[in-house]
Amino acid sequence: MTGALHAALAALEAVPLASIGEILTDLADLETLVGIGLDGLSKFGIYVTIAAGLSLIFGLMGVLNFAHGSLTMLGAYLGGAFMLFFVSSATGDVVTIVFFFCTMALVFAIVTGLGAVLEIGVIRPIYDRPPLFQILLTFGIVLVLDEVVRIVLELEGIQSSTDWQAARGTRPDEILGFHEVFGISIRAIYQFQTIVGILVVVATWWFLTRTRYGLHIRAGSEDGEMAQALGIDVRRSFTVVFGVGAGLAALAGVMLMWDPRYGASVPLGVETLLIAFVVVIIGGLGSFKGTVVAAAIVGLVDALMSWLFVNHVDFAGLPELVMFLVLVLVLVARPQGLYGVEEVGGH
């Protein structure tokens, strides 16, 4: 781990930088700070939605789901397909946004059902096996999902390695436009992503702490035998967790389908899987609170580094480099993550 830290620092030192004084002077401008903060909030909305499902599945079940990114990619394509079906050139902005929320609900329901089927038919038989079996099995699911999507796209004449422009074209003018927030011009879609991310956090927290089913799930993850003795169907609870985690991954994909920085493509699965693991590991495996805090940290760091790249630093990989540097620093200082616990999950 120390060697990785030295390598990351060496790479950062090699980046051509403007003078520190010039950078600090620009950062002292209130408008610049507000702009970075708003950008960080939009990225928080994306990152917490991407990572929430992975945090639930590992935190409550102890399952390392490497198929999480592919489920996000699947959600992006399903969302694009439904939007192309619902929306035409004559559809107004308000109706399009209503259709978008309906699409999110529909995709969440479909992929939640798919996740439940995967848990029952594929994941459940290996609960008592070593973690290596989970890694290999979920990686196999990645290969199957990616290839199935590629085959379908080729049959439809769609390029799988690039962003699906037709789906992105369903964005209404209201989402494409810019809004003034505290005197800063920001894309409406970024504000939308911030709101969706906050709603995901609130809904997930409410589900886990304020519903009977959420209490059953947490009881089963803490002590499965005792929960079973009290009449709780632990297996069914874990099926619900895996399904909801898969649905949240797909929900993030629907958001990214419209995002000018991402878009629906098969490589989106790998990209979002890396983000999810970075956020969950920094926050601490098994801690939903840690995932929320880590998403905020990573989002702000990404926004700051993106601003540096645009204004002062001639190195396109700076945001990714510093994001992984933060990951390395957290693991060196606190291997279990910010809010991690020593043991998570149970069956």
Side-chain angles (χ1 to χ4, degrees):
M1 188 65 68
T2 303
L5 177 59
H6 289 326
L9 290 173
L12 190 59
E13 289 175 357
V15 176
L17 295 173
S19 68
I20 300 299
E22 182 182 350
I23 293 174
L24 292 177
T25 299
D26 288 350
L27 279 176
D29 181 64
L30 181 59
E31 185 174 326
T32 299
L33 289 176
V34 172
I36 293 172
L38 292 175
D39 187 29
L41 281 176
S42 74
K43 291 178 177 178
F44 160 77
I46 294 173
Y47 294 165
V48 77
T49 307
I50 292 174
L54 184 65
S55 177
L56 280 182
I57 291 173
F58 187 83
L60 297 176
M61 301 174 62
V63 174
L64 287 168
N65 181 23
F66 275 75
H68 189 80
S70 292
L71 292 170
T72 301
M73 176 269 294
L74 181 62
Y77 276 112
L78 287 175
F82 285 130
M83 287 303 295
L84 286 172
F85 177 79
F86 289 136
V87 176
S88 67
S89 58
T91 306
D93 286 0
V94 175
V95 176
T96 300
I97 293 174
V98 171
F99 279 143
F100 183 79
F101 279 107
C102 293
T103 294
M104 293 181 77
L106 189 57
V107 170
F108 177 81
I110 291 173
V111 180
T112 295
L114 174 62
V117 171
L118 288 175
E119 193 277 337
I120 294 172
V122 181
I123 305 296
R124 184 178 294 182
I126 63 167
Y127 278 150
D128 297 327
R129 302 290 183 89
L132 179 61
F133 284 80
Q134 299 173 7
I135 295 172
L136 294 176
L137 182 61
T138 55
F139 184 70
I141 295 173
V142 170
L143 299 179
V144 172
L145 283 177
D146 288 3
E147 289 308 312
V148 168
V149 170
R150 281 194 178 95
I151 291 170
V152 173
L153 293 177
E154 288 180 5
L155 291 175
E156 295 294 327
I158 301 171
Q159 176 59 253
S160 63
S161 60
T162 58
D163 298 342
W164 191 12
Q165 295 301 320
R168 185 176 287 175
T170 60
R171 292 177 299 184
D173 294 336
E174 184 67 24
I175 291 294
L176 283 172
F178 288 80
H179 289 171
E180 292 288 331
V181 180
F182 300 114
I184 305 297
S185 182
I186 184 172
R187 286 182 182 269
I189 190 171
Y190 296 164
Q191 298 172 319
F192 177 74
Q193 289 166 344
T194 301
I195 294 171
V196 171
I198 293 172
L199 290 176
V200 166
V201 171
V202 173
T204 304
W205 173 84
W206 177 82
F207 172 71
L208 290 175
T209 63
R210 293 294 183 269
T211 66
R212 181 180 296 275
Y213 220 96
L215 294 175
H216 289 177
I217 290 170
R218 290 192 293 132
S221 66
E222 291 291 335
D223 192 331
E225 292 184 3
M226 179 61 72
Q228 196 82 36
L230 293 173
I232 297 174
D233 189 340
V234 176
R235 293 300 190 198
R236 186 172 63 183
S237 297
F238 286 151
T239 300
V240 172
V241 171
F242 199 92
V244 170
L248 287 173
L251 197 69
V254 179
M255 282 207 308
L256 297 180
M257 174 267 296
W258 268 0
D259 194 305
R261 298 167 293 193
Y262 294 93
S265 67
V266 172
L268 178 68
V270 175
E271 187 176 358
T272 54
L273 179 65
L274 289 175
I275 291 173
F277 271 110
V278 167
V279 171
V280 170
I281 291 172
I282 290 176
L285 294 171
S287 171
F288 182 70
K289 175 183 177 181
T291 298
V292 175
V293 173
I297 293 172
V298 173
L300 287 173
V301 168
D302 191 356
L304 176 60
M305 293 303 108
S306 298
W307 174 83
L308 278 175
F309 164 64
V310 170
N311 295 278
H312 295 284
V313 182
D314 186 20
F315 181 61
L318 183 64
E320 292 78 11
L321 172 64
V322 176
M323 185 186 304
F324 283 100
L325 179 60
V326 171
L327 171 63
V328 172
L329 289 172
V330 169
L331 290 179
V332 169
R334 189 175 173 81
Q336 72 270 35
L338 298 177
Y339 294 92
V341 293
E342 293 183 1
E343 295 183 4
V344 295
H347 309 106

